[in-house]
Amino acid sequence: MARSAAWLATLMALLAVSSAQYRELLQSGNSNLFPPYKCNRNMAVSPYILNPAYSVEGNKVCFTVETKQCTGNSPCCTKPMDFAKLELMVNTNCKFAIEKVELNGVQTRAPTFDIFGNNDQFALWKLTGLNLNTSTADGAQICITLRTKGQFICPTMNALCPEGDGRCTYAISKSDPCDCCPVGPLGVFPS
């Protein structure tokens, strides 16, 4: 029994160190910026953009990916950039807001939620496993289903995003370490 307690204490200490190291990595640089890591946020250096006019059906919100001309000499333009992950800046009280994520009608990996900022005043949802490229991205639909019951939910885009009026800020991330994370706006909640 004592050996199990010692093993459990050691495991908990290791998890605490790993968590602290992860948080330090997540917040390197200016942690009040979105996304909270060092990267090129310029949308001009991305071959992808989300159409700012998203669609809503009940508690399902869908974003349409569009491809565009990438400009500049950034490695984001000169190397083929994929669309591996979509990040949404959200309110800190929306930890359990997203029930599921779909790409073109097929459920993807469960999203992850992170708090960031110098005072933990910001949060983001990471929608991973999208694995789009310039051949497959144009017209792709990324949909999130927002929870309507339970604790720490935000059942609308108005509640989910800090702008509070249906607008939201997103970042596109690629899978290789090219430091590209173009940031863009999502439009006003449709009427």
Side-chain angles (χ1 to χ4, degrees), residues 3-13:
R3 182 177 283 171
S4 294
W7 182 83
L8 182 59
T10 302
L11 179 62
M12 294 301 287

Side-chain angles (χ1 to χ4, degrees), residues 16-33 35-39 41 85 87 114-118 124 126 177 179:
V17 169
S18 297
S19 177
Q21 288 171 337
Y22 171 74
R23 188 160 186 80
E24 183 179 322
L25 176 63
L26 180 67
Q27 295 189 354
S28 63
N30 183 346
S31 64
N32 284 330
L33 291 176
Y37 44 85
K38 294 178 184 175
C39 59
R41 293 169 175 78
K85 174 176 53 175
E87 298 181 1
D114 286 312
I115 301 276
F116 70 97
N118 293 334
L124 62 90
K126 295 178 185 177
D179 297 332

Side-chain angles (χ1 to χ4, degrees), residues 3-189:
R3 182 177 283 171
S4 294
W7 182 83
L8 182 59
T10 302
L11 179 62
M12 294 301 287
L14 287 173
L15 287 173
V17 169
S18 297
S19 177
Q21 288 171 337
Y22 171 74
R23 188 160 186 80
E24 183 179 322
L25 176 63
L26 180 67
Q27 295 189 354
S28 63
N30 183 346
S31 64
N32 284 330
L33 291 176
F34 173 77
Y37 44 85
K38 294 178 184 175
C39 59
N40 186 342
R41 293 169 175 78
N42 185 349
M43 188 55 75
V45 299
S46 172
Y48 311 103
I49 192 168
L50 290 185
N51 185 320
Y54 55 87
S55 64
V56 177
E57 187 174 320
N59 60 329
K60 187 175 186 176
V61 182
C62 294
F63 315 107
T64 303
V65 180
E66 297 176 354
T67 56
K68 64 179 191 65
Q69 184 65 39
C70 188
T71 59
N73 291 329
S74 165
C76 307
C77 289
T78 57
K79 295 179 184 177
M81 178 180 167
D82 65 353
F83 188 140
K85 174 176 53 175
L86 174 66
E87 298 181 1
L88 296 173
M89 186 167 177
V90 300
N91 286 310
T92 57
N93 63 328
C94 297
K95 184 171 185 174
F96 299 111
I98 299 178
E99 188 173 327
K100 71 177 177 178
V101 178
E102 295 174 278
L103 174 63
N104 295 327
V106 177
Q107 191 166 341
T108 65
R109 294 181 187 161
T112 58
F113 180 85
D114 286 312
I115 301 276
F116 70 97
N118 293 334
N119 298 309
D120 291 339
Q121 72 272 34
F122 304 114
L124 62 90
W125 272 104
K126 295 178 185 177
L127 317 180
T128 62
L130 300 177
N131 303 322
L132 296 169
N133 59 48
T134 53
S135 299
T136 61
D138 201 39
Q141 290 279 302
I142 302 168
C143 298
I144 58 175
T145 301
L146 299 173
R147 292 185 196 281
T148 58
K149 296 179 181 170
Q151 189 178 18
F152 301 110
I153 62 162
C154 300
T156 66
M157 290 293 280
N158 290 8
L160 184 69
C161 299
E163 290 84 347
D165 59 4
R167 291 178 300 130
C168 203
T169 303
Y170 72 89
I172 296 170
S173 295
K174 58 188 291 173
S175 59
D176 67 33
C178 191
D179 297 332
C180 301
C181 64
V183 175
L186 288 169
V188 176
F189 190 78

